[in-house]
Amino acid sequence: MFSKKEDKMVNLGFNSVRERFDEGVNKALSCLTEIGIGYVNERKEPEAEKTVVSIKEIGKAAARQGMENAAVNAIQALEKLLQCSMEQNMQETNVRVLLSFGAIGKTAAKQQMEMAAKLAASVLGRSGNTAALLNKERETIAVIIGLGEIGKAIAGVKVPDFSENAAICISCLGDIGKLTAQKNLEEAAVGIELMLQEMAAAAMKENLQNTVINIASSIEEVGKKVEDENMESAILQAASALQTIVSNSGNRYLNDASIAAKIALESFNELDIINDEANIKKIEAIRETMRALWVDSK
């Protein structure tokens, strides 16, 4: 249940979006942020999460209405909440906020709002580095999902090949991937490779060859790091992702991308690629966990 004040601010936010009234949206977001921070400081996690959802939904609605400044303000509001929840070590609230960045960023990307999508991706990138360094694997996976969803949305709107925001998503995923290998966060490493593969599929669908080449390079970089750490399932997923890019890009006559992925694949030691049932099941379990997290957050 929302408090009366919170309920009033939620209604103000949505009504202001419908009326395209930026000042009203910003007032609602500001008040909801204060309420959310209060919940976090009191360690009222369920209440804090509901407030996060309200801010996220207002941000998404603003993006759909073409109100980029309001969408940016929603992301900034969530960033303040994340800072507090990280200090309080409230894992589920952290995850909820991180996935919310992805949700707003994805909606913004679909509307070709470059500033809002870039901000969401950049915040996620910084958050992912922090989470990985602190060995917070669940938070890291939430970041990975968010970046991947934004990246897929960018590819889906037929942006020029190669867009700055796509580059940010790919670069952030690659950097976080190398950290996850260093920190032995194998599930997160596999998650990054899965999301990069999904981004490549979206890019290939739109014939964004340079984007696919960049993704293949990022998968190779992460793959070499996990190979150094002998992470069997992550090595297998990197190889599988590259093989899929080789096949699918070749089928779409994206010859340069196919060649780049093939060269990347050949850089692995075949003896390190252990294609057994245990590793396949582990990868599928990680894929399902990520899917469930994203579906639950929408």
Side-chain angles (χ1 to χ4, degrees):
M1 291 288 291
F2 288 135
S3 67
K4 286 185 178 180
K5 181 179 180 182
E6 191 170 359
D7 191 50
K8 182 179 178 181
M9 288 301 107
V10 170
N11 288 332
L12 174 64
F14 284 117
N15 289 336
S16 297
V17 167
R18 281 192 290 271
E19 296 166 7
R20 295 180 176 273
F21 180 43
D22 275 293
E23 189 176 330
V25 178
N26 294 339
K27 179 181 177 181
L29 290 171
S30 178
C31 288
L32 287 170
T33 304
E34 288 181 17
I35 292 168
I37 289 172
Y39 287 144
V40 170
N41 288 335
E42 294 171 12
R43 299 196 61 80
K44 294 181 176 179
E45 195 150 28
E47 290 86 349
E49 288 184 37
K50 287 179 182 177
T51 307
V52 169
V53 171
S54 296
I55 294 172
K56 175 196 72 177
E57 292 301 329
I58 291 170
K60 286 170 60 182
R64 285 192 293 267
Q65 280 281 68
M67 301 173 68
E68 187 161 22
N69 287 337
V72 165
N73 285 338
I75 294 166
Q76 291 172 335
L78 289 169
E79 195 173 4
K80 292 175 185 175
L81 277 171
L82 179 64
Q83 184 178 353
C84 292
S85 64
M86 288 287 284
E87 289 171 0
Q88 295 289 344
N89 199 26
M90 294 169 66
Q91 183 187 70
E92 291 309 309
T93 301
N94 295 340
V95 168
R96 183 73 66 178
V97 174
L98 292 166
L99 291 168
S100 296
F101 290 134
I104 298 173
K106 179 176 184 175
T107 305
K110 285 182 174 180
Q111 300 296 322
Q112 299 189 45
M113 293 181 174
E114 292 190 7
M115 181 172 64
K118 180 178 181 179
L119 177 62
S122 299
V123 171
L124 281 167
R126 292 194 299 271
S127 301
N129 288 334
T130 300
L133 284 169
L134 295 174
N135 292 310
K136 294 179 179 288
E137 190 157 31
R138 187 168 169 82
E139 282 96 328
T140 306
I141 289 172
V143 166
I144 293 162
I145 295 168
L147 282 168
E149 291 296 332
I150 294 170
K152 287 189 289 182
I154 291 168
V157 295
K158 300 183 180 180
V159 295
D161 185 17
F162 173 72
S163 82
E164 180 187 359
N165 283 351
I168 289 170
C169 292
I170 296 164
S171 174
C172 287
L173 284 169
D175 289 344
I176 296 166
K178 286 178 275 190
L179 271 177
T180 60
Q182 179 186 323
K183 290 291 186 175
N184 203 31
L185 303 175
E186 188 165 8
E187 289 188 13
V190 170
I192 282 170
E193 293 160 349
L194 287 168
M195 291 311 299
L196 285 169
Q197 182 178 343
E198 290 185 17
M199 283 180 63
M204 283 186 282
K205 188 176 179 181
E206 302 300 335
N207 296 319
L208 303 177
Q209 179 155 249
N210 289 328
T211 301
V212 179
I213 290 170
N214 202 29
I215 291 170
S217 175
S218 191
I219 293 171
E220 180 187 12
E221 288 179 6
V222 176
K224 297 307 292 181
K225 288 292 184 181
V226 298
E227 190 175 29
D228 290 342
E229 301 298 329
N230 197 30
M231 295 181 176
E232 288 185 7
S233 61
I235 298 167
L236 175 60
Q237 176 52 37
S240 175
L242 289 169
Q243 182 58 61
T244 300
I245 293 172
V246 170
S247 302
N248 292 352
S249 57
N251 291 341
R252 298 190 68 86
Y253 303 104
L254 301 174
N255 295 330
D256 289 349
S258 183
I259 291 167
K262 189 173 188 295
I263 292 170
L265 182 60
E266 289 172 350
S267 71
F268 290 89
N269 184 336
E270 287 187 14
L271 296 177
D272 290 335
I273 303 171
I274 302 173
N275 190 359
D276 65 8
E277 187 177 356
N279 283 327
I280 292 170
K281 283 185 175 179
K282 186 171 184 178
I283 291 167
E284 287 308 309
I286 294 167
R287 191 196 307 273
E288 179 56 29
T289 296
M290 292 172 67
R291 187 199 67 80
L293 259 180
W294 179 246
V295 168
D296 182 57
S297 75
K298 290 196 292 184

